[in-house]
Amino acid sequence: MRRTLVVAAAMLMAVVSLRALTPAVYSPTDALTPDEYWTIYRVLRDSGHTDEKTLFPSILLHEPDKAYVLAWKPGEPIERKADVVLYEDGHSYSASVDIAHKKLLDYQELKGEQAPFTSTEEHAFDDIIKHDPRVMAALKKRGITDLNLVYCYTSAAGYVGLKEQDGRRIGWGGCMYTDGMTHPMDREIGGIFTVEDMGAKKVLRVTDYGAVPVPANSSIYDNDGGPALPGTKPIVISQPGGPSFTIKDGEVSWQNWHFRYRFDPRTGPTIQQVSLEDNGKRRSVLYEGSLSEMFVPYQDTEETWNSHVFLDAGEYFMDTGLGMIKPLYPGIDCPDYATFLSATFYKESGQPFQRPQVACIFERTAGDPSWRHMDDDGTIYGRPGRELVFRTVAVVGNYDYIMDWRFEQEGAMKIAVGATGVLEVKPVKELKYTDEHVGDFTGKDENGKPLEFGHLIAPGLDGVDHDHFFSFRLDLDVDGTKNTFMDDKLVQYKLPVTTGRKTIWAMQPTMPATEGEAKMNIDLSHPEMWRFANTSVKNSLGYPTSFEIMPGETGVSLLAADDWPQMRGGYSAHELWVTPYDPNERYAAGVYVPGSKATDGLPTWTKKNRNIMDTDIVAWYTMGFHHVPRPEDWPQMPTMWHEVTIRPFDFYDKSPLMDLPMQP
Amino acid sequence: MRRTLVVAAAMLMAVVSLRALTPAVYSPTDALTPDEYWTIYRVLRDSGHTDEKTLFPSILLHEPDKAYVLAWKPGEPIERKADVVLYEDGHSYSASVDIAHKKLLDYQELKGEQAPFTSTEEHAFDDIIKHDPRVMAALKKRGITDLNLVYCYTSAAGYVGLKEQDGRRIGWGGCMYTDGMTHPMDREIGGIFTVEDMGAKKVLRVTDYGAVPVPANSSIYDNDGGPALPGTKPIVISQPGGPSFTIKDGEVSWQNWHFRYRFDPRTGPTIQQVSLEDNGKRRSVLYEGSLSEMFVPYQDTEETWNSHVFLDAGEYFMDTGLGMIKPLYPGIDCPDYATFLSATFYKESGQPFQRPQVACIFERTAGDPSWRHMDDDGTIYGRPGRELVFRTVAVVGNYDYIMDWRFEQEGAMKIAVGATGVLEVKPVKELKYTDEHVGDFTGKDENGKPLEFGHLIAPGLDGVDHDHFFSFRLDLDVDGTKNTFMDDKLVQYKLPVTTGRKTIWAMQPTMPATEGEAKMNIDLSHPEMWRFANTSVKNSLGYPTSFEIMPGETGVSLLAADDWPQMRGGYSAHELWVTPYDPNERYAAGVYVPGSKATDGLPTWTKKNRNIMDTDIVAWYTMGFHHVPRPEDWPQMPTMWHEVTIRPFDFYDKSPLMDLPMQP
């Protein structure tokens, strides 16, 4: 009896001290807490809409409208709602839950639209595929009889207009043979292609494109057991006084920057209410910025591989257990002096869980001057620079994407994506490339000129060509919500014949009036500067204050416009889109992506051709790159970085770097 | 007597110990030493070609032919020659000196070609211009009578076909009024334009474009006397065991990298004989890489400013005392744990001098993974990365360019240029910008649409629009000197109607046969991969070994092709040129740049349309950017980085990163 009491007291203390660490809601845009997830779960269960078999592919905070968020003051009650997508036996349902009032606001079965894929759903097929007689026959034809070493899978299929897709939830699959395996990524059994009806849990079709030997195992994570590269002497970095940033009630403050963040299960790190302190006043820069979609179409002549068309954020964010925000490894993914942040997510069964160290935040100095000048008299002036990095890592199957938001002292933000991880590889007959351009991965164009499909990255392993197109939704609010998109064109200007020069270039300011006019493509012969300006707020020189979106290396899709993958990932046709703010427009390829026929998303919305002048507007930046794999990308890809910079332009009256300290 | 002896002994010891520190020639491509400069000086003087008034605008190592350098073995005698350009009283002379044999090989007056400009020559005009009656009248008209506070100058004029330029060495100038000055950069007296005959030391023309008030002084280096940004806590970086690189006999070795360097007065840091160690063997990557030219055309309607068309490397490298390689400030320009290197240069009088800390070399880690992957089971693998930075800073008048060669662990090299320093600004009447697009720096195009010339960066100060086009000469020798340029085009490929996909993209390998076919422009709708391949050396997969040139953000010139500045800086029309190796082709805009009529340089050479297949070839990469100045660029520009990456592609059989240590 006594003993029980003691335990109860200890538990009470534990609860109290845990409460301080428990995720809390400080602002209407903060992430869902464990308590809130439980409320959502109970409301849905108690309303009779879920049972033991129900899957929860999507539980997302329903962000309140911007006007509400901006008007809301700390201490006031907070409106909290969640959008939920449920899946059971081939049926998808949407639900809306009022968390504060523990109330189901809406519930309906989705018709024509489908829930995101879950790991549970996909793995339900492993054995069904393997034991399909057609698959067994194909395995046997290849001399594979030890079914214990065969692993078959299915993956979400992107809609491509095949008859078998009509009205169904379809998966596409294949098998791997793990005999002799050290790592599964190169164990595909070539030529076997399966089509599954995910709802009916049935294999619809098995196509055998012909046997290809399972290649020799080449996957080695490590240095073949050899010692690490010798002679590397340590670089020791520390912050003995701690970091210079603070995190209070979910807000990060560093130098002149303030921002909030939410770890959103679908879009990953979502940066909010970013402002710059200027003469004691907080000036708004970005209401919200996050990834909006990822489009990764593979490029191969064979259906086994050109079916790999992923819209990862919308289709797969739950597939490998919240792929968008994965744990970090201190000392590898972030410096070990970084501050690590935890987050709350949910399982496919609808139950919340917490993960530690899913994000890190750290200052770093590269040893570069933020500015410097040497005068004619030889005197050198300058200041060393540093930056603040807010980092997460998304892992979507084979690929790892390091996602950085970098805050610069000059008032710029950089979004950087570092792609690493393991290539997707296809077994081919060739162990070596021959100059004659023959083999599984070579061909000819209509003029008889040679073409190469993919690239050998190890004997018998073709690194399949593919693209990455990230869409970043950037709800810039420069000095307020009403902004105008400025497209400043640099144009040749013919000088009158008074001097020796015939031409100069000048800047031609234009303001696209509608979203239809604001589908931007980069042309290096006709350079443009893209800015979000507030025409009602002027800097001391009379210019509208603005932020410029400066692309880094990027690219657009090469697929035909009427090809289904391209229609579904249609945002990849332009590097920049500008739309008026609409709280329902958050995902560049639409809300419900699996099986979608491109009826939602940027190409659809912008057909309305709405006004984008002097109103609340949103930028959608496409960061794209094409990848012809190299042997150097195997067995692990060296991290390849791409970035976009958003920097002040006429926002300040002068450089904000002049008061930096002399220490980096 | 005794005392003298002691002194002599001490001097002897000093000589001995100094000798160890004295620059030496370890390789045929090493920089000229003080002794060699003295030999050159004496040979020229003793041959009777120089006197007290002779200027030495250019004294450069004459690099031996590549075949000689590659055949040369340590210990063998070294061929050493110098190319010298002399200038006196409007006449330019070229000379060739055999240093080892102390012999003048060649000497002649240049006809039609001119020496680079020197500071001495340009400053000879300061008083002549100021006291020209037309200038005095223009000053008086502006109420400026205190000539003590007036500073007039002339600058090298780029040839633009004006009659006054024919057969003459021309300078273009203006004046500044330093009344109330804290910094001279914003003190221009608007509207005064002068033309000087540099040979005859005569002002040829004074044109008054009308008075503009000298703007209020806005140049402040510092934080208005206020304290530094508070709250910044130190980031401490150290290498307690010292750096991991070694420098021996002029060769740097770091991890798998080996390279030599020369501080060339004209091209700046010149990186040589770069190789990668692979299984105990050194494999050649780059024979030599350096800046080849810098083209900085300003864009303004008025002759006072559109005359600012600089080919900085060829015209000005001596102008401000070896602008290409200026001293560094530890803790600002480089981390204070960096290793600093000294160099030997020459004065305009022909005498050598040494400068300490003109370059730094350091390792750094950004806290980023070189690769990482998280498996489905949640295990994270990876290695932290570091890089080696070889840095110099060029200062050409107002602009400071941080020039980095960065060596990556994955076998890639990055050339990065960070532009900072002070803007060139033009006084204008307007203190503020008005939306009506009127004023000195606004206008209309032929359709009546508004144009802006420059941008107000402070009241009455127009930051003049301009471009930067760097040409980097990259003599890549991948696994040997004979290479082939591969232009791999990513092209759309229509699939037969067997699957749902209609299109994919494929790689179409092409090999431009001649330099005329290898003038490359980037088009994001038609992406290409540029590689230098060795078709005689295959990796284990059968592919020719190669290095890929991956552009970062860049651009091409917007000027008309028949405009003189564009003809002279013609390399700026393309992002990449490929030529066969010719030891005489080192400078993209020619050897003798002042007054040149574009008869030398890339556009001229490539008219020969020589073969570039399976021969020794050279890449010329144009890194270009357009600059519309912002107030945020004043009074000091935040460092803006641009880079190009040269990375292995089929050079290795697999990733070279697998054996990195776990410590960064």
Side-chain angles (χ1 to χ4, degrees):
Chain A
M1 184 74 186
R2 221 176 134 177
R3 186 164 171 168
T4 309
L5 271 173
V6 171
V7 171
M11 278 178 70
L12 204 70
M13 286 176 63
V15 168
V16 168
S17 74
L18 270 176
R19 189 166 292 275
L21 296 170
T22 294
V25 177
Y26 299 103
S27 149
T29 56
D30 284 354
L32 294 171
T33 65
D35 280 353
E36 292 183 320
Y37 277 110
W38 280 120
T39 300
I40 295 161
Y41 182 88
R42 287 173 191 142
V43 166
L44 287 164
R45 181 193 57 195
D46 297 347
S47 67
H49 292 305
T50 66
D51 59 30
E52 199 188 331
K53 291 185 342 189
T54 308
L55 293 173
F56 290 70
S58 180
I59 308 176
L60 302 176
L61 174 77
H62 179 90
E63 262 196 40
D65 196 76
K66 190 194 279 192
Y68 170 85
V69 174
L70 294 178
W72 178 87
K73 300 257 173 314
E76 292 178 4
I78 301 180
E79 174 191 315
R80 299 287 284 176
K81 291 181 190 163
D83 294 321
V84 183
V85 182
L86 304 170
Y87 180 79
E88 193 167 341
D89 287 335
H91 297 269
S92 300
Y93 308 86
S94 74
S96 171
V97 176
D98 182 331
I99 299 167
H101 302 95
K102 299 189 162 81
K103 213 176 118 188
L104 183 68
L105 299 175
D106 186 57
Y107 175 84
Q108 46 190 299
E109 183 170 355
L110 293 171
K111 300 289 183 192
E113 288 168 334
Q114 296 178 11
F117 289 94
T118 59
S119 193
T120 307
E121 182 190 1
E122 296 198 351
H123 285 297
F125 282 88
D126 297 355
D127 266 12
I128 296 175
I129 303 171
K130 186 158 81 174
H131 292 104
D132 185 282
R134 295 161 289 186
V135 172
M136 303 244 283
L139 293 171
K140 201 170 173 189
K141 206 171 112 187
R142 289 161 171 82
I144 297 172
T145 50
D146 183 354
L147 288 193
N148 180 46
L149 298 184
V150 173
Y151 161 64
C152 296
Y153 62 90
T154 196
S155 270
Y159 185 80
V160 291
L162 286 181
K163 216 168 53 190
E164 60 211 16
Q165 294 184 299
D166 278 341
R168 283 184 174 121
R169 182 167 171 90
I170 292 295
W172 281 333
C175 301
M176 306 207 281
Y177 187 44
T178 58
D179 186 42
M181 175 185 82
T182 56
H183 189 254
M185 293 304 296
D186 59 1
R187 302 284 88 202
E188 184 180 305
I189 303 168
I192 300 180
F193 182 69
T194 67
V195 179
E196 287 76 36
D197 181 329
M198 313 283 282
K201 287 204 174 61
K202 233 179 106 179
V203 179
L204 296 180
R205 168 160 75 97
V206 177
T207 306
D208 190 341
Y209 286 96
V212 174
V214 176
N217 196 309
S218 70
S219 289
I220 35 162
Y221 269 122
D222 227 319
N223 178 31
D224 298 321
L229 185 74
T232 308
K233 294 179 185 163
I235 300 174
V236 182
I237 309 181
S238 65
Q239 285 201 281
S244 313
F245 58 85
T246 58
I247 307 181
K248 191 176 156 13
D249 296 350
E251 184 182 69
V252 179
S253 296
W254 179 72
Q255 302 207 345
N256 298 324
W257 289 103
H258 301 281
F259 64 92
R260 307 190 63 80
Y261 58 87
R262 176 175 80 238
F263 298 116
D264 188 277
R266 177 163 176 168
T267 54
T270 300
I271 303 295
Q272 291 159 331
Q273 296 169 58
V274 180
S275 65
L276 277 163
E277 201 157 310
D278 184 19
N279 284 316
K281 206 183 107 194
R282 285 193 182 192
R283 298 176 62 190
S284 148
V285 175
L286 178 83
Y287 176 72
E288 187 173 75
S290 74
L291 181 75
S292 132
E293 192 49 90
M294 254 194 240
F295 176 41
V296 187
Y298 278 76
Q299 316 291 343
D300 188 84
T301 53
E302 198 178 272
E303 188 184 29
T304 48
W305 272 90
N306 70 41
S307 57
H308 289 232
V309 175
F310 304 120
L311 283 156
D312 281 310
E315 288 171 342
Y316 279 97
F317 64 100
M318 274 301 292
D319 181 49
T320 50
L322 290 156
M324 291 302 142
I325 302 185
K326 287 288 196 187
L328 303 173
Y329 201 120
I332 292 176
D333 293 322
C334 314
D336 41 25
Y337 66 84
T339 297
F340 289 83
L341 306 173
S342 67
T344 303
F345 298 125
Y346 61 95
K347 297 179 191 170
E348 295 178 2
S349 60
Q351 303 165 62
F353 66 98
Q354 266 185 281
R355 268 196 187 141
Q357 71 207 50
V358 292
C360 68
I361 178 167
F362 58 99
E363 296 173 280
R364 70 176 171 195
T365 174
D368 300 339
S370 71
W371 61 271
R372 69 95 71 193
H373 183 55
M374 179 171 160
D375 252 345
D376 284 352
D377 66 7
T379 326
I380 302 172
Y381 315 84
R383 294 284 188 279
R386 63 166 77 181
E387 65 181 352
L388 185 74
V389 181
F390 186 96
R391 174 172 295 172
T392 56
V393 175
V395 183
V396 193
N398 56 309
Y399 255 102
D400 299 47
Y401 301 107
I402 304 156
M403 302 279 196
D404 277 6
W405 282 77
R406 301 179 188 157
F407 295 87
E408 308 299 330
Q409 291 172 311
E410 60 163 312
M413 290 177 287
K414 282 180 204 279
I415 301 171
V417 178
T420 176
V422 186
L423 282 173
E424 289 211 359
V425 291
K426 172 189 170 179
V428 288
K429 293 193 202 78
E430 286 69 29
L431 302 180
K432 262 194 152 183
Y433 171 85
T434 58
D435 289 336
E436 289 70 40
H437 295 296
V438 289
D440 275 6
F441 51 96
T442 54
K444 308 254 185 219
D445 73 3
E446 60 268 33
N447 303 313
K449 283 193 193 159
L451 291 176
E452 296 183 16
F453 307 111
H455 202 80
L456 270 192
I457 54 88
L461 277 184
D462 166 21
V464 184
D465 292 338
H466 58 279
D467 305 298
H468 303 262
F469 297 106
F470 301 87
S471 172
F472 286 98
R473 179 179 179 273
L474 303 168
D475 184 358
L476 287 158
D477 281 357
V478 179
D479 277 327
T481 56
K482 280 193 181 178
N483 282 187
T484 291
F485 175 53
M486 304 261 212
D487 177 29
D488 297 329
K489 296 171 195 296
L490 305 190
V491 296
Q492 196 186 85
Y493 177 76
K494 285 189 179 38
L495 289 171
V497 199
T498 52
T499 67
R501 284 282 288 273
K502 292 183 178 175
T503 52
I504 58 170
W505 58 258
M507 191 262 270
Q508 180 150 73
T510 69
M511 296 184 195
T514 66
E515 55 193 334
E517 294 169 31
K519 299 176 182 180
M520 313 307 295
N521 283 72
I522 295 170
D523 176 351
L524 298 192
S525 308
H526 296 95
E528 299 176 355
M529 299 193 304
W530 298 330
R531 295 191 288 138
F532 268 46
N534 190 323
T535 55
S536 308
V537 180
K538 307 283 168 77
N539 74 354
S540 73
L541 295 163
Y543 289 108
T545 60
S546 81
F547 267 71
E548 183 187 4
I549 299 170
M550 297 184 79
E553 210 191 329
T554 187
V556 289
S557 179
L558 304 177
L559 304 184
D562 66 349
D563 203 358
W564 272 111
Q566 184 57 33
M567 289 192 273
R568 299 176 71 239
Y571 69 83
S572 61
H574 305 289
E575 276 101 359
L576 186 74
W577 305 64
V578 181
T579 61
Y581 169 79
D582 180 332
N584 296 316
E585 295 177 1
R586 300 184 64 80
Y587 310 113
V591 177
Y592 299 102
V593 182
S596 92
K597 296 184 182 175
T599 52
D600 190 12
L602 275 171
T604 305
W605 309 331
T606 52
K607 279 183 196 148
K608 290 180 257 180
N609 209 19
R610 294 163 294 186
N611 170 60
I612 56 168
M613 286 181 81
D614 201 22
T615 187
D616 193 356
I617 53 176
V618 176
W620 305 76
Y621 179 75
T622 307
M623 179 190 286
F625 50 102
H626 315 287
H627 190 175
V628 175
R630 310 170 292 168
E632 286 86 348
D633 291 326
W634 189 257
Q636 297 281 333
M637 288 179 272
T639 308
M640 163 81 86
W641 287 95
H642 287 81
E643 63 183 43
V644 56
T645 302
I646 305 153
R647 66 167 192 166
F649 199 114
D650 294 330
F651 185 78
Y652 290 115
D653 300 329
K654 65 167 195 167
S655 166
L657 296 180
M658 305 314 288
D659 67 347
L660 295 189
M662 282 299 288
Q663 71 181 15
Chain B
M1 186 70 187
R2 217 176 141 181
R3 183 161 173 170
T4 309
L5 271 174
V6 170
V7 170
M11 278 176 70
L12 205 68
M13 285 176 64
V15 167
V16 169
S17 74
L18 268 176
R19 188 166 293 274
L21 297 170
T22 294
V25 177
Y26 298 103
S27 151
T29 56
D30 285 353
L32 295 171
T33 64
D35 280 353
E36 291 183 320
Y37 276 111
W38 280 120
T39 299
I40 295 160
Y41 182 88
R42 288 173 191 139
V43 166
L44 287 164
R45 180 194 59 196
D46 297 347
S47 66
H49 293 304
T50 65
D51 59 28
E52 198 188 333
K53 290 188 337 194
T54 308
L55 293 173
F56 292 70
S58 181
I59 308 175
L60 301 177
L61 173 76
H62 179 90
E63 263 195 38
D65 195 78
K66 190 194 280 193
Y68 170 85
V69 175
L70 294 178
W72 179 87
K73 300 254 173 320
E76 293 179 3
I78 302 181
E79 174 190 313
R80 298 286 284 175
K81 292 181 191 165
D83 295 320
V84 184
V85 183
L86 303 169
Y87 181 79
E88 192 165 344
D89 288 335
H91 297 271
S92 300
Y93 309 86
S94 73
S96 171
V97 176
D98 182 330
I99 299 166
H101 302 95
K102 299 190 163 88
K103 213 176 118 187
L104 185 66
L105 299 175
D106 185 58
Y107 174 85
Q108 46 190 301
E109 183 169 357
L110 293 172
K111 300 290 181 190
E113 287 167 334
Q114 297 178 11
F117 290 94
T118 59
S119 193
T120 307
E121 183 190 2
E122 296 199 350
H123 285 297
F125 282 88
D126 296 355
D127 266 15
I128 296 173
I129 304 172
K130 182 156 86 174
H131 292 103
D132 184 281
R134 295 161 290 186
V135 171
M136 303 246 282
L139 293 171
K140 201 170 171 189
K141 208 171 111 188
R142 288 160 170 81
I144 298 172
T145 51
D146 183 354
L147 288 193
N148 180 45
L149 300 185
V150 172
Y151 162 64
C152 296
Y153 62 90
T154 196
S155 271
Y159 185 80
V160 290
L162 287 180
K163 216 166 57 190
E164 61 210 16
Q165 295 184 299
D166 278 341
R168 283 182 172 122
R169 183 169 171 89
I170 292 294
W172 281 332
C175 301
M176 304 209 281
Y177 186 43
T178 59
D179 186 40
M181 174 186 84
T182 54
H183 189 254
M185 294 302 296
D186 60 1
R187 303 284 87 205
E188 184 181 304
I189 303 168
I192 300 179
F193 182 69
T194 69
V195 179
E196 287 76 36
D197 182 329
M198 313 282 282
K201 287 204 174 60
K202 236 181 102 176
V203 180
L204 296 179
R205 168 160 75 96
V206 177
T207 306
D208 190 342
Y209 286 96
V212 172
V214 176
N217 195 309
S218 70
S219 290
I220 34 160
Y221 269 122
D222 227 317
N223 177 29
D224 299 320
L229 184 73
T232 309
K233 295 182 186 162
I235 299 173
V236 182
I237 309 181
S238 66
Q239 283 200 282
S244 314
F245 58 85
T246 58
I247 307 181
K248 189 172 157 16
D249 295 350
E251 184 183 69
V252 179
S253 296
W254 180 72
Q255 301 206 346
N256 297 325
W257 289 103
H258 300 281
F259 64 92
R260 306 190 64 80
Y261 59 87
R262 176 174 81 237
F263 298 115
D264 188 277
R266 178 164 175 166
T267 54
T270 301
I271 303 297
Q272 292 159 331
Q273 295 169 59
V274 180
S275 64
L276 277 164
E277 203 157 309
D278 184 20
N279 284 318
K281 206 184 109 196
R282 286 193 183 191
R283 298 176 60 189
S284 149
V285 174
L286 178 83
Y287 177 72
E288 187 172 75
S290 75
L291 182 75
S292 134
E293 191 51 89
M294 255 193 242
F295 176 40
V296 187
Y298 279 76
Q299 315 292 343
D300 187 85
T301 52
E302 200 178 270
E303 187 185 29
T304 48
W305 273 90
N306 68 42
S307 57
H308 288 232
V309 176
F310 305 120
L311 284 155
D312 280 310
E315 288 171 344
Y316 280 98
F317 64 99
M318 276 300 292
D319 180 50
T320 49
L322 290 158
M324 290 303 141
I325 303 186
K326 289 289 197 188
L328 302 173
Y329 201 121
I332 292 177
D333 293 322
C334 314
D336 41 25
Y337 66 84
T339 297
F340 289 83
L341 306 173
S342 67
T344 303
F345 299 124
Y346 61 95
K347 299 178 190 169
E348 294 178 2
S349 61
Q351 303 165 63
F353 66 98
Q354 267 186 279
R355 266 196 188 142
Q357 73 208 50
V358 294
C360 68
I361 178 166
F362 59 98
E363 293 173 280
R364 69 176 171 193
T365 174
D368 300 339
S370 73
W371 61 271
R372 68 97 70 194
H373 183 54
M374 179 170 160
D375 252 345
D376 284 353
D377 67 6
T379 325
I380 303 172
Y381 315 83
R383 293 286 189 277
R386 62 166 76 182
E387 64 181 352
L388 185 75
V389 181
F390 186 95
R391 175 172 293 172
T392 57
V393 175
V395 184
V396 193
N398 55 310
Y399 255 101
D400 298 47
Y401 301 107
I402 305 157
M403 301 280 196
D404 277 6
W405 281 77
R406 300 179 188 158
F407 296 86
E408 308 299 331
Q409 289 172 310
E410 60 163 312
M413 291 178 285
K414 283 180 203 279
I415 301 171
V417 178
T420 176
V422 186
L423 283 172
E424 289 212 0
V425 291
K426 173 190 170 178
V428 289
K429 291 193 201 79
E430 287 70 27
L431 303 180
K432 262 195 152 182
Y433 171 84
T434 58
D435 289 335
E436 289 70 38
H437 294 296
V438 291
D440 275 7
F441 51 96
T442 55
K444 308 252 185 221
D445 74 2
E446 61 267 34
N447 302 314
K449 283 192 194 160
L451 291 176
E452 295 183 17
F453 307 111
H455 202 80
L456 271 192
I457 53 89
L461 277 185
D462 166 22
V464 183
D465 291 339
H466 58 279
D467 304 298
H468 303 263
F469 298 106
F470 301 86
S471 173
F472 287 97
R473 179 179 179 274
L474 303 169
D475 184 357
L476 287 158
D477 281 357
V478 179
D479 277 326
T481 56
K482 280 194 181 178
N483 283 184
T484 291
F485 174 54
M486 304 262 211
D487 177 29
D488 297 329
K489 298 174 196 291
L490 305 191
V491 297
Q492 197 186 83
Y493 177 75
K494 285 188 180 37
L495 290 171
V497 200
T498 52
T499 67
R501 284 282 287 274
K502 292 184 178 174
T503 52
I504 58 168
W505 59 258
M507 193 260 269
Q508 181 149 74
T510 70
M511 295 185 195
T514 66
E515 56 193 333
E517 294 169 31
K519 299 177 183 180
M520 312 308 295
N521 283 71
I522 296 170
D523 176 352
L524 298 193
S525 307
H526 297 93
E528 297 176 355
M529 299 193 303
W530 298 331
R531 297 191 288 138
F532 268 46
N534 190 323
T535 55
S536 308
V537 180
K538 307 282 167 75
N539 72 354
S540 73
L541 296 163
Y543 289 109
T545 61
S546 81
F547 267 71
E548 183 187 5
I549 299 171
M550 296 185 80
E553 210 193 328
T554 188
V556 290
S557 179
L558 304 178
L559 304 183
D562 65 347
D563 202 358
W564 272 110
Q566 185 56 34
M567 288 191 275
R568 300 177 70 241
Y571 69 83
S572 61
H574 305 289
E575 276 102 357
L576 185 75
W577 306 64
V578 180
T579 62
Y581 169 80
D582 180 332
N584 296 315
E585 296 176 2
R586 301 185 62 81
Y587 310 112
V591 178
Y592 300 103
V593 182
S596 92
K597 297 183 182 175
T599 52
D600 191 10
L602 275 171
T604 305
W605 308 330
T606 53
K607 278 182 196 147
K608 288 179 257 178
N609 207 20
R610 293 164 293 187
N611 170 60
I612 55 168
M613 286 181 83
D614 200 23
T615 186
D616 193 357
I617 53 176
V618 176
W620 305 76
Y621 179 76
T622 306
M623 180 190 286
F625 49 100
H626 315 288
H627 190 175
V628 176
R630 310 169 292 166
E632 285 87 348
D633 291 327
W634 189 257
Q636 296 281 333
M637 287 178 274
T639 308
M640 163 80 87
W641 287 95
H642 287 80
E643 63 182 43
V644 56
T645 303
I646 304 151
R647 66 168 193 167
F649 199 114
D650 294 329
F651 185 77
Y652 290 114
D653 299 330
K654 65 167 196 165
S655 167
L657 296 180
M658 304 315 289
D659 67 346
L660 296 188
M662 283 298 291
Q663 69 180 15

